[in-house]
Amino acid sequence: MLVISVLEYVMRAGCVRLLYTLLFYLMVPLLLLSLFWQSRKNPAYRRRWGERFGFVQVAEENKPTLVHCASVGEFLAAKGFIEQLLDNGTPVWVTCTTPTGSELIQHFLQGRGEHSYLPLDLPCAVGRFLQRVKPQTIVLMETELWPNLVHAGKKHGIPQALINARMSQSSMKGYLRAAWLFRPSWQTLQLCGVQNGVQAERFLQLGVRTEALQVTGNLKFDVKIPPQVQRDVSAFKTLLSDRPIITAGSTHAGEEEIVLAAFRQLLSKKPDALLILVPRHKERFEEVAHLIQQSGLRMVRRSSGDPMTADTQVLLADSMGELMVWYGVASVAFVGGSLIERGGHNPLEPMAYGLPILSGPHVFNFTEVYQQLDAHKAIRWVHGEPSMEEALFELLTCLDQARHIGDQAQQVFARHRGATVRTYAAVQSLQHEPTL
């Protein structure tokens, strides 16, 4: 009863962020232990810990636009937006929270902008970070709303935006239960650029001000195929001599076994087929290589530099940042994270190529996109090894049908382009508006 009374007093006193901060400080040892634990598979997790507490090196004070992308998915969605900032001469500072995201960001920037991890959401850390970086605008991706960061940004008079914003029904219920903590942050936003009208209604319920809300569309639909990727795709297609190719992208534990078993069955009917297997996380490359070896299939690892031959049955794409190339050479694409309850991954790159797409049933991370694909009969749903093998054989045999499915997917993709331009214009307008 005493604990409950104290909590009620703290909430009535308007000190909920203080309580949140206190709990966060208590969790810091566990967070650091988690980073150390993850470093067993990826040593990068135990490096650059100073950045986690706001100790960043600033070469020059250029008042950048700060763009925060939690990890790989958010960064890939934000690439076009960041590119537009750079093309228009806007200094950028891009943050993330994972080593995999950091690697991709550094490869993308190539010195054109600054990068670091976003500090932990502690007042001392985010305050130190903002004092050093001095951003002119803070841009957060999708749902990356951190109460102390938003409060510190408001304190420093920095306009703040949430872009490509999305919120599932279940996530909204969770945020509403914690409204006592998050509502002030939602109300602080000068811009909340949402993906569609349904999302707009949800963010209004959370507390986003009507005047801050704009329907800007989904940045992920603005996928562009870079010239170098196009050249790589052409080179690989020449090398592979029109073999039927299945690219299984962004796969997770529990999915590779199903994909490999279905592919083994397919080989009895399509002996020249090639499987390109692209695990989602680099920490699992060795584990997946072992699975392929156990399956008895002849494998080449991308990282080995060994050439693929007519006898190669599986290419393990144990490299980062090349998924668009592997979708580009494919005849059929399977989008991972969907045969397990992970919620599915972004199908937009295979849609951009006009590929027939296979997916498992668990796609709650991209519900709207998959609903549109399903409505236009532009996807094949699979639930395990038998249905996957059957769908693969059908799409690799009935080429007119496969082409029609891919064309439908590409048309859905084309109808939603333009979010990058709208989002860029909305963010630029913030620099001329007073902060709350």
Side-chain angles (χ1 to χ4, degrees):
M1 290 297 294
L2 178 61
V3 173
I4 294 174
S5 298
V6 171
L7 288 175
E8 289 178 347
Y9 171 77
V10 169
M11 291 179 190
R12 283 199 300 270
C15 299
V16 290
R17 193 174 53 81
L18 179 61
L19 175 61
Y20 160 80
T21 300
L22 175 62
L23 293 174
F24 208 117
Y25 271 113
L26 293 174
M27 288 176 59
V28 167
L30 295 177
L31 294 172
L32 296 179
L33 182 61
S34 173
L35 291 174
F36 186 78
W37 183 258
Q38 292 178 83
S39 73
R40 295 175 309 120
K41 293 185 177 180
N42 185 349
Y45 274 102
R46 58 176 175 263
R47 301 179 188 135
R48 296 162 54 193
W49 280 18
E51 293 179 13
R52 307 283 187 180
F53 294 92
F55 292 101
V56 295
Q57 299 296 320
V58 180
E60 57 180 325
E61 293 186 6
N62 55 11
K63 295 189 179 299
T65 292
L66 173 65
V67 183
H68 175 58
C69 315
S71 189
V72 174
E74 292 82 2
F75 168 65
L76 293 176
K79 275 179 68 175
F81 171 73
I82 297 170
E83 192 76 63
Q84 190 149 5
L85 289 171
L86 292 169
D87 288 346
N88 285 278
T90 303
V92 299
W93 190 299
V94 186
T95 60
C96 67
T97 57
T98 67
T100 305
S102 177
E103 185 179 337
L104 286 177
I105 290 168
Q106 291 179 77
H107 179 74
F108 166 76
L109 288 175
Q110 294 289 313
R112 296 179 297 164
E114 301 296 326
H115 161 66
S116 69
Y117 289 128
L118 186 75
L120 298 173
D121 198 38
L122 302 169
C124 61
V126 295
R128 182 182 301 114
F129 176 75
L130 294 180
Q131 286 171 2
R132 295 187 176 201
V133 175
K134 294 180 172 59
Q136 63 174 332
T137 311
I138 297 173
V139 180
L140 309 171
M141 283 290 293
E142 299 191 356
T143 55
E144 281 292 300
L145 198 75
W146 294 98
N148 281 324
L149 174 64
V150 173
H151 177 78
K154 180 179 179 180
K155 182 179 177 181
H156 284 78
I158 305 169
Q160 299 179 71
L162 186 71
I163 65 171
N164 212 46
R166 63 186 179 95
M167 181 70 60
S168 68
Q169 187 70 30
S170 59
S171 294
M172 184 183 72
K173 291 177 181 177
Y175 275 107
L176 287 173
R177 284 194 292 270
W180 49 272
L181 172 61
F182 286 99
R183 192 171 186 84
S185 298
W186 295 120
Q187 292 176 333
T188 297
L189 294 173
Q190 276 80 34
L191 169 66
C192 182
V194 299
Q195 296 184 8
N196 54 55
V198 172
Q199 302 294 330
E201 290 298 323
R202 291 174 182 169
F203 281 99
L204 283 174
Q205 290 184 55
L206 292 174
V208 173
R209 296 173 299 114
T210 303
E211 58 269 30
L213 199 67
Q214 293 189 40
V215 178
T216 49
N218 189 339
L219 290 173
K220 294 181 179 179
F221 277 102
D222 284 349
V223 172
K224 292 183 179 179
I225 303 173
Q228 183 57 53
V229 170
Q230 294 175 354
R231 289 191 288 271
D232 290 343
V233 168
S234 297
F236 275 110
K237 282 187 172 181
T238 301
L239 176 67
L240 296 170
S241 304
D242 297 323
R243 291 177 65 178
I245 300 171
I246 302 104
T247 293
S250 299
T251 59
H252 289 256
E255 293 186 309
E256 289 97 358
E257 295 90 340
I258 295 172
V259 172
L260 289 168
F263 182 67
R264 281 174 56 86
Q265 294 298 317
L266 178 71
L267 285 175
S268 64
K269 305 170 186 175
K270 295 282 184 180
D272 61 338
L274 172 69
L275 172 65
I276 301 178
L277 192 54
V278 193
R280 177 70 174 182
H281 298 115
K282 65 184 298 183
E283 295 86 354
R284 299 190 57 250
F285 288 163
E286 292 301 326
E287 173 190 340
V288 176
H290 183 63
L291 284 174
I292 299 170
Q293 290 169 345
Q294 285 184 317
S295 73
L297 295 167
R298 294 185 294 275
M299 171 184 66
V300 166
R301 297 182 64 157
R302 170 67 167 159
S303 61
S304 71
D306 295 337
M308 285 181 286
T309 68
D311 292 332
T312 303
Q313 296 172 315
V314 181
L315 170 65
L316 174 59
D318 54 348
S319 57
M320 298 303 298
E322 293 188 309
L323 182 56
M324 186 175 281
V325 174
W326 307 131
Y327 279 138
V329 302
S331 312
V332 179
F334 165 72
V335 181
S338 59
L339 287 171
I340 58 172
E341 293 188 12
R342 172 63 177 74
H345 288 295
N346 182 359
L348 295 170
E349 288 183 357
M351 289 170 66
Y353 281 112
L355 291 177
I357 299 169
L358 302 176
S359 174
H362 304 291
V363 293
F364 53 80
N365 287 335
F366 294 90
T367 302
E368 181 195 6
V369 178
Y370 281 101
Q371 283 178 343
Q372 292 186 41
L373 287 172
D374 189 55
H376 289 82
K377 296 181 171 55
I379 193 166
R380 286 289 183 271
W381 300 105
V382 297
H383 300 84
E385 175 193 338
S387 59
M388 178 173 284
E389 190 276 331
E390 181 181 345
L392 287 173
F393 178 71
E394 176 188 353
L395 293 172
L396 293 176
T397 303
C398 304
L399 300 184
D400 287 343
Q401 182 182 6
R403 192 176 300 110
H404 176 73
I405 294 170
D407 287 345
Q408 290 294 105
Q410 199 167 40
Q411 288 175 28
V412 172
F413 173 83
R415 279 195 289 270
H416 292 273
R417 295 179 65 83
T420 300
V421 172
R422 292 188 291 272
T423 300
Y424 175 79
V427 170
Q428 289 299 103
S429 69
L430 294 183
Q431 298 172 17
H432 309 291
E433 294 181 4
T435 56
L436 296 179

